[in-house]
Amino acid sequence: EAVYHLRMALSDNHILFDFLVEPHFTPGDIDSFGVVIVPYVRHMSQAQMDVLARFVANGGKAVIVGECGTFDERGRQHERSLRTLLDPYGERALFVDTLDALVPNRGQEMYALSEEVTNAWGAGPPSLPDRVASVDEAQSARKYPLVDVLSSLTGQRLPFLGDAAPYTLRVNAFRDPADGRIIVHLVNYDLPVTGRATSGPPIPARGIHLNVPAKSAPPWLPGGIHGAPVRAGPDGVALPDAALYALTETLPSAGAPEPTSTAHRAL
């Protein structure tokens, strides 16, 4: 559940992230991140805890949620806790008791519903978080404390899109290390529900701004159709409406500074 809520909060706020699974919890992989969030991972090997401590010692940031690193991979209690290992690095490691402090529970989620309630969707409980009249109504409920905490830890404005982009617009980005190009994918999930298992056409997302400096950013739409010209400059890229799906390739300006939002991996 913690991973689900973290993924939701980061996606809603257009913060780029990836998942670290056990084979990738190595110095080579972890060092490409700015912040590592460890949610309720009670069992960690000594090697994994040492990797995390080295990451923080070298300037990385960590958010530790709940009880983590209490036992090793064989269930034996560690002599030194994860907190003890990270305490020397001060504010670079943040410990919180529960995820609710960063991502407040919005009520019962769809994945937690029983089959009977799901099948009787029309008679579902009114407290469901997605039963709202518009995107605007739901937008304010998705300003999680997690976003401010991560921005404070990194000293960066982490959202990849500008404030006008609705949470229903999902973004992913990939950087080409050879020339600095960033390929940005945008998918619009703002579909009005008009009845049981029935929806209308997507409502286009407007006022899209990519927080990445570029000299140009040609857009493409489904079917290989070239989109309208976009404005690109040192303050970022302004895109036209995104109806369902859009893709753009940002070409960096000569000597351009690093993007205000880390496009390769933020978390």
Side-chain angles (χ1 to χ4, degrees):
E1 288 186 22
V3 172
Y4 172 89
H5 287 292
L6 284 166
R7 188 275 310 162
M8 175 188 66
L10 296 170
S11 298
D12 285 352
N13 287 276
H14 310 118
I15 296 177
L16 303 181
F17 67 95
D18 206 343
F19 296 104
L20 272 172
V21 293
E22 190 170 8
H24 303 141
F25 209 81
T26 63
D29 287 308
I30 198 174
D31 287 346
S32 65
F33 291 85
V35 181
V36 172
I37 303 175
V38 185
Y40 302 108
V41 185
R42 297 180 66 193
H43 294 259
M44 297 179 68
S45 69
Q46 186 62 53
Q48 290 169 338
M49 296 210 301
D50 290 342
V51 165
L52 188 60
R54 173 190 170 278
F55 168 75
V56 177
N58 290 339
K61 312 299 192 302
V63 178
I64 312 301
V65 182
E67 186 180 342
C68 294
T70 305
F71 304 99
D72 67 11
E73 71 278 19
R74 299 178 64 182
R76 299 170 300 193
Q77 188 165 353
H78 282 293
E79 293 184 4
R80 298 183 65 199
S81 67
L82 184 60
R83 182 184 287 270
T84 302
L85 285 176
L86 299 183
D87 265 347
Y89 308 113
E91 296 180 354
R92 293 206 295 267
L94 174 68
F95 288 82
V96 294
D97 292 333
T98 68
L99 188 60
D100 285 346
L102 301 177
V103 185
N105 195 323
R106 297 186 298 119
Q108 194 170 24
E109 299 287 353
M110 288 294 296
Y111 71 85
L113 298 182
S114 67
E115 183 177 358
E116 290 77 13
V117 171
T118 304
N119 289 340
W121 169 248
S127 62
L128 286 177
D130 293 325
R131 293 181 68 89
V132 294
S134 67
V135 171
D136 291 338
E137 184 179 333
Q139 190 83 15
S140 61
R142 287 167 165 77
K143 300 300 182 185
Y144 308 101
L146 174 68
V147 178
D148 292 333
V149 167
L150 295 178
S151 296
S152 177
L153 278 174
T154 62
Q156 292 182 316
R157 187 183 184 280
L158 289 179
F160 194 78
L161 302 183
D163 293 337
Y167 80 92
T168 46
L169 186 65
R170 298 308 204 199
V171 61
N172 207 349
F174 304 89
R175 189 200 302 272
D176 186 336
D179 57 12
R181 290 181 304 157
I182 298 173
I183 309 299
V184 181
H185 296 256
L186 296 164
V187 182
N188 179 23
Y189 286 94
D190 189 3
L191 297 174
V193 177
T194 57
R196 182 173 181 179
T198 306
S199 62
I203 299 172
R206 309 185 189 281
I208 306 166
H209 186 272
L210 308 182
N211 295 325
V212 53
K215 63 182 179 182
S216 66
W220 288 271
L221 304 174
I225 302 172
H226 288 267
V230 303
R231 189 186 79 247
D235 63 336
V237 176
L239 288 177
D241 300 347
L244 181 62
Y245 175 80
L247 180 148
T248 188
E249 175 186 20
T250 69
L251 304 176
S253 304
E258 278 293 300
T260 54
S261 178
T262 306
H264 176 53
R265 282 178 174 175
L267 299 173

